[in-house]
């Protein structure tokens, strides 16, 4: 199953260079998400959906709060880019789709294209891509950088109390 967005052909020339640079950048301290100001609360909408079997939500700057932060279930978000070799590996191996299927009803699984969503990218400031963020109750509880397999993601989720 492929993601529900169309990948453009831009930046293909820089893919190898950027992938090599990002592969060297691993780990680092947990980035702090900016908290919402009480004076300007986020739009009040119904809590975001929980992914159905095999469903990956394509989220954006406009829908991130609803899809991820307000999700009733914990949420796994992959921040990635179409030009990234490691991101292509994850897509080809259907890591997100398999994770969504295996955790249907218990986990929201979402994808965010960092090139098309600069506000969310700036807010979470990953040290490399692909970046996987695990949210519970609207807060980042853990994150990983790198091209992980579905099995590795499953182990990481289990270590964070998600079975």
């Amino acid at each position: 199953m492929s993601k529900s967005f169309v990948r453009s052909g831009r930046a293909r020339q820089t893919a190898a260079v950027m992938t090599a640079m990002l592969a060297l950048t691993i780990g680092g301290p947990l980035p702090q998400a900016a908290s919402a100001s009480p004076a300007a609360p986020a739009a009040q909408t119904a809590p975001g959906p929980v992914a159905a079997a095999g469903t990956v939500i394509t989220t954006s700057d406009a829908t991130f709060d609803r899809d991820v932060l307000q999700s009733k279930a914990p949420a796994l978000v992959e921040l990635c880019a179409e030009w990234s070799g490691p991101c292509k590996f994850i897509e080809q191996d259907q890591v997100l789709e398999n994770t969504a299927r295996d955790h249907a009803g218990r986990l929201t699984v979402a994808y965010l294209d960092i090139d098309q969503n600069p506000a969310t990218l700036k807010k979470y400031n990953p040290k490399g891509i692909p970046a996987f963020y695990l949210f519970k109750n609207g807060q980042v509880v853990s994150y990983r950088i790198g091209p992980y397999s579905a099995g590795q993601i499953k182990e990481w989720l289990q270590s964070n109390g998600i079975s």
Side-chain angles (χ1 to χ4, degrees):
M1 177 184 294
S2 64
K3 295 187 178 60
S4 63
F5 60 92
V6 178
R7 295 182 182 268
S8 69
R10 66 189 163 138
R12 297 226 187 265
Q13 299 85 354
T14 61
V17 173
M18 294 300 294
T19 299
M21 289 174 37
L22 290 171
L24 294 174
T25 308
I26 297 177
L30 182 64
Q32 296 298 314
S35 60
S37 167
Q44 298 297 319
T45 60
V50 174
T55 301
V56 176
I57 298 168
T58 300
T59 192
S60 67
D61 286 346
T63 62
F64 191 85
D65 284 358
R66 183 197 63 201
D67 293 340
V68 176
L69 301 181
Q70 296 176 13
S71 175
K72 290 181 181 179
L76 170 66
V77 181
E78 178 196 13
L79 278 68
C80 221
E82 62 120 74
W83 47 261
S84 166
C87 292
K88 288 180 183 178
F89 164 79
I90 290 167
E91 181 184 8
Q92 289 171 351
D93 281 1
Q94 298 185 341
V95 171
L96 293 182
E97 290 84 355
N98 291 333
T99 301
R101 184 194 66 234
D102 293 346
H103 295 84
R106 301 183 316 274
L107 180 69
T108 296
V109 179
Y111 173 90
L112 180 97
D113 184 319
I114 62 170
D115 291 330
Q116 296 177 11
N117 299 285
T120 304
L121 173 65
K122 183 177 178 181
K123 184 175 181 180
Y124 293 99
N125 193 25
K127 304 298 182 199
I129 59 170
F132 294 93
Y133 285 80
L134 180 60
F135 292 82
K136 289 183 181 175
N137 300 317
Q139 299 295 316
V140 175
V141 295
S142 185
Y143 81 105
R144 283 189 152 186
I145 306 295
Y148 291 93
S149 68
Q152 291 170 314
I153 293 293
K154 184 175 183 176
E155 289 175 11
W156 174 56
L157 291 172
Q158 288 174 339
S159 73
N160 283 281
I162 299 170
S163 56

